[in-house]
Amino acid sequence: MEIKSASLENLCNFQGGKPAMMDLPYPPVRVEGKNRMYANLLSVDYCGSVSELSAIAQYINNENRISGENCAAAKVILSIAMAEMMHLQKLGELICLLGGDVDFVAKYCDRKKCMWTPGYLTIPHELKEMLLADVESEKQAVAQYAMHIKMINDACVDAVLQRIIKDEEYHIMLLQALLKGL
C-alpha cells in the first residue's frame, strides 16, 4: 500500500512583494524629549486592541487562509501586512526614544495595562467579511492615531503618526477596491 503525503500546493508566488505604502518619505524617527505619557499612548498603537501588532496578525492570518483560492487578494493583504510591520518598527523606536518599554503591554491612560492577545483579532471565514473587518480595523486605527496626535505635543512624534495615517488611508482604499472586485 502506497502512502501519499498530504500537501497544499500553493501556486501564489509572493516573491518580490513590497509593502503597500504611499510613495512618500517618512519623517526621521526622533522625539523632542523623553515623555513616558506619550510612550504609553504609543504602546496602545503598538500592541493594543487597535494596533499595528493586531493588524499584522490579522492580515497574515487572512492571507494564509485565502492564498490558495484568491492569490491576487492574498498578495494585497500580505503587502498591507508588510507596511504594518514597518509601522510597528517605527512605533517601537519612538516608544524607546520617549523612555517607554516595548514589551507587548498596552499602557492605557486609566493606568490599566493589557498584554497583547489574539483575542483582539476578527477572523471571519469568508473573504468579503475578512475585507470588511480589515477596512473597519483600518478606520479605527486612523481615528486612534488622530486622537493621539491631539494628545501628543511633540512635533517629531506627530509627524511620524501623520505619515502612518496616510498609509492606513491607502490601505482602506486598497481593501475597498478588493471588495468591489468580489
Side-chain angles (χ1 to χ4, degrees):
M1 178 171 164
E2 183 180 337
I3 299 174
K4 294 184 179 182
S5 64
S7 69
L8 172 65
E9 185 176 331
N10 186 348
L11 302 177
C12 197
N13 182 344
F14 296 105
Q15 190 170 354
K18 295 183 178 168
M21 300 170 65
M22 294 294 293
D23 190 19
L24 300 167
Y26 267 86
V29 176
R30 59 181 188 217
V31 299
E32 293 175 359
K34 291 196 181 292
N35 188 313
R36 193 79 169 180
M37 186 186 95
Y38 296 167
N40 290 349
L41 282 173
L42 295 183
S43 76
V44 175
D45 299 319
Y46 187 85
C47 64
S49 59
V50 176
S51 69
E52 298 299 338
L53 188 59
S54 293
I56 293 164
Q58 187 164 308
Y59 284 126
I60 293 296
N61 184 277
N62 289 347
E63 177 273 318
N64 286 167
R65 292 184 303 137
I66 67 165
S67 63
E69 62 189 56
N70 191 326
C71 183
K75 284 182 178 185
V76 172
I77 289 170
L78 183 61
S79 70
I80 294 172
M82 293 165 67
E84 305 296 6
M85 288 179 210
M86 294 181 73
H87 298 164
L88 184 75
Q89 189 273 334
K90 290 182 184 313
L91 290 172
E93 281 187 50
L94 286 171
I95 291 166
C96 290
L97 290 171
L98 289 164
D101 299 313
V102 179
D103 55 7
F104 299 107
V105 175
K107 291 116 181 135
Y108 292 92
C109 294
D110 60 2
R111 300 188 188 270
K112 181 174 92 174
K113 295 180 179 182
C114 297
M115 180 167 260
W116 186 85
T117 171
Y120 292 152
L121 307 181
T122 302
I123 306 176
H125 293 287
E126 299 298 322
L127 178 57
K128 181 177 181 180
E129 284 72 31
M130 284 180 200
L131 296 173
L132 289 169
D134 292 342
V135 167
E136 183 57 32
S137 295
E138 293 287 352
K139 288 179 179 180
Q140 290 173 358
V142 168
Q144 183 169 286
Y145 280 125
M147 179 180 67
H148 288 171
I149 288 169
K150 289 178 183 176
M151 298 169 76
I152 294 173
N153 189 22
D154 182 318
C156 299
V157 174
D158 289 346
V160 174
L161 298 183
Q162 289 167 345
R163 176 59 187 82
I164 289 173
I165 286 174
K166 290 183 186 318
D167 286 341
E168 306 298 14
E169 291 170 338
Y170 180 56
H171 298 163
I172 293 168
M173 183 196 73
L174 291 172
L175 293 164
Q176 287 174 334
L178 288 175
L179 277 165
K180 285 180 185 172
L182 295 180

